[in-house]
Amino acid sequence: MNELQLWWLLLLPVFFGVGWVAARIDMRQVVRASSRLPRIYLTGLNHLLHDELDQAIEAFLSAARENPATLELQLALAVLFRRRGEFDRAIRVHQELLAREDLSEERRSEILAELALDYHKAGFFDRAEALYAALQQTERKHWALAQLLEIYQVEKDWRKCIDVATRLARDDSPVWRVRLIHYHCELAALALTAERWDEAGHHLEQARAIERHAVRPILLEGERHFLQGRFEAAFEEWLTLERIAVEHLPLAIDRLMAVAERCGWQAKLLKRMRQWLHRYPQLDLVERYVEFEARHGEPATAMRLLQGLLRQQPSLIVLDEYLLLVARHVDPAWLADVERVREVVHGYVQRLARYRCTQCGFKARRHLWRCPACGQWETFGPARVIEIDAIAGH
Ligand SMILES: [Zn+2]
């Protein structure tokens, strides 16, 4: 094996690191081109392998000027810079490449797309937006629109999100429906905060026109009634979740309790809470139920209910609340012991109970409609979960 081929072997890990662009690179063509590589290229690779990126990039750029056939390698290199967070270097390479006069239209738009991504990832949204807009005239139109949507989501420009998503949603796929529902809900939530009730109602209607039984519009519609003092309507709206998505009731439970107390419907709500618990003994629901039963019902009923739950489906969450009740009724001689045990269990529950993204596993203390880690909508379950392996210390 001669020295030149050996260099390419050394370069292989670089290509594996480059990700999707590498997948588009015709390696045979690159290897063919390697046989024509000038000496300066090897110098550049040498710098790269020694992590001397400044010298490497200079060598590659100078090689590029002398040898136009090395385009693929430089594109890969620039993507590598971008992935390492060295955006200025990626931008420089792409700008230099764009300055060449021998580019086909297809090549030019490919490099423009890469440059747009450099700006996007570097947080220069204005520049990225301008390039994505220019790419609307090319066959990369849909890709560019999808990237624009990402920017508008980060900027929370929900109106533009609706506009772009509507253009992209050519089919009736659930992914687009879910996104559009949330964009309308985001606008509705903003309008509610500003007390623009009709505007909120309008956005919620649009969200519901997409999917009649979507959960978030129901929660917000209840909120709209609640904030305007229409407590019965709010109560009824939230209770529709009983039929549609009982597991989402914990997201409305605080409001339901507030309305029940205000309107004297405590007994009515308690009866329902007991039923819900048998179907979904979730953390928030168990906690609120015990609290509400203690305030407005009979603690003995709560004791019996939790004992039943512990037998049916033992869980740390239920045990935690059960110990709280036991501590209130136990013989004073045992109180200190019970309290100590409860403290341990409660500590675990508080520390480990999290909302969790089902897509990427990101954990959060409060429920989120959009995952900040993977950017997906509605991937958080409506209940906090405790991961048992975390308790075991794995
Ligand atoms: Zn996620």
Side-chain angles (χ1 to χ4, degrees), residues 357-362 370-376 379-380:
C357 172
T358 51
Q359 283 291 305
C360 73
F362 184 84
R370 181 173 185 243
C371 175
C374 68
Q376 300 295 306
T379 53
F380 279 85

Side-chain angles (χ1 to χ4, degrees), residues 311-324:
R311 269 195 300 275
Q312 283 164 25
Q313 30 190 327
S315 91
L316 217 51
I317 291 167
V318 178
L319 179 65
D320 182 29
E321 291 302 315
Y322 179 67
L323 289 172
L324 176 74

Side-chain angles (χ1 to χ4, degrees), residues 157-178:
D157 191 334
W158 307 117
R159 281 175 212 281
K160 283 186 181 168
C161 284
I162 291 170
D163 174 49
V164 172
T166 309
R167 284 158 71 195
L168 277 169
R170 284 168 302 173
D171 51 23
D172 204 25
S173 90
V175 177
W176 291 110
R177 292 161 67 88
V178 166

